[in-house]
Amino acid sequence: MLEVGSSSTDIRDLIRFQSEAVSSHYDLPPKFFAGFLGPRMAYSCAYFIDENDTLDEAEENKLLLTAKKLDLREGELLLDIGCGWGSFIFYAAEKFGCRAIGITVSEEQAAFVNRISEERGLGDRARADVVHVYDMSYPARYFDKIVTIGAIEHMDNLHLVFSKSSEILKDDGLMLVHGMTKPWHDREEELQGITSEVGELVKEHFGIGYWKSLWEVMEALEKSDFEVLDHENITRHYQLTVERWLERLQENEESLIGKVIDEEKYREFLVFMAGYIVGFETSHTLCNQILCRKINYGEIRPALPLTRENIILSPRKERLCKKN
Ligand SMILES: C[S@@+](CC[C@H](N)C(=O)[O-])C[C@H]1O[C@@H](n2cnc3c(N)ncnc32)[C@H](O)[C@@H]1O
């Protein structure tokens, strides 16, 4: 764990170690991930308005819900911490007219995003940089909005992540933190040094992993001058998402093994997906979306919406949209 007062050599070593470890997962060929993810290559929990939604529909729902929670507006500058293959930065740029910058530790992912951005003529309205979150060096109050989806699981020091985010976000700016946590029971055992074989394997699969409990995430946010506006537990949605990934991975077995990925790696992913489904079913793994505002101390609070109406997907309305 990166401690306050760590020397700059320690920090550089840690950043190098984490970047290499995490990239070992994400630098696998994008064609392999395309073998189980939806068309937008979102590698995170989708959102189901009903259980019969397809993965592709649920991915669209998640992007729309995320944009709604962030109240995205045309011309805004968005930072996506851990942007993956760019699902949300493309969505924000193309559907909402934002300028979106993503950061990732994976060279493969950044190259993928920048190539697609060029092909779609987006120029610098959607781009990805290879930057470790601890190394972010944007000017103070630079971004209108910040999002991080499925990436905090790779970060050991959330206080550092959120205090840096707070610094580069405009006053009253919104940040959406979407990520997995552990229930306190499991986290407490881990803090006491009780490790499980499964836990160790999960860390290895993802290169590195630091699942916290929800209150630890909230604590780090509050200590970084964020006010939590809303929390939604989306664990069930992640279970449904991974069930669909697993189905797709199995359907595409023939076209993947030996052509895109070796059999051992393929089977490792199968086992992990099955394990994740059990983790969600048995409450060992949870998933959350936390919406926050950067507090502008001493100033009048903005007149925020009185109800949650603007940050939910209404089943009735969305079904009507689907029909038309
Ligand atoms: C599970 S993927 C999620 C990607 C994307 N947000 C999505 O929803 O598809 C996690 C992402 O976090 C990035 N990441 C992990 N650790 C990071 C770090 N320390 N700094 C910056 N990005 C990081 C990875 O490179 C990857 O792009």
Side-chain angles (χ1 to χ4, degrees), residues 167-182:
E167 220 174 275
I168 58 180
L169 183 61
K170 289 188 177 158
D171 293 335
D172 293 316
L174 298 177
M175 174 163 180
L176 186 77
V177 177
H178 168 140
M180 284 188 277
T181 53
K182 282 179 175 180

Side-chain angles (χ1 to χ4, degrees), residues 214-227:
L214 180 59
W215 73 260
E216 289 174 288
V217 181
M218 297 280 197
E219 181 193 31
L221 282 167
E222 291 200 326
K223 286 188 173 169
S224 306
D225 298 332
F226 284 106
E227 171 195 5

Side-chain angles (χ1 to χ4, degrees), residues 18 22 26 41-44 62 80 82-84 87 103-106 109 131-133 149-151 154-155:
Q18 290 188 347
V22 172
Y26 297 101
M41 295 280 279
Y43 194 21
S44 50
K62 195 278 287 302
D80 184 348
C83 65
S87 57
I103 61 165
T104 167
V105 289
S106 158
Q109 287 184 328
V131 176
H132 188 290
V133 65
I149 308 174
H154 290 295
M155 298 165 189

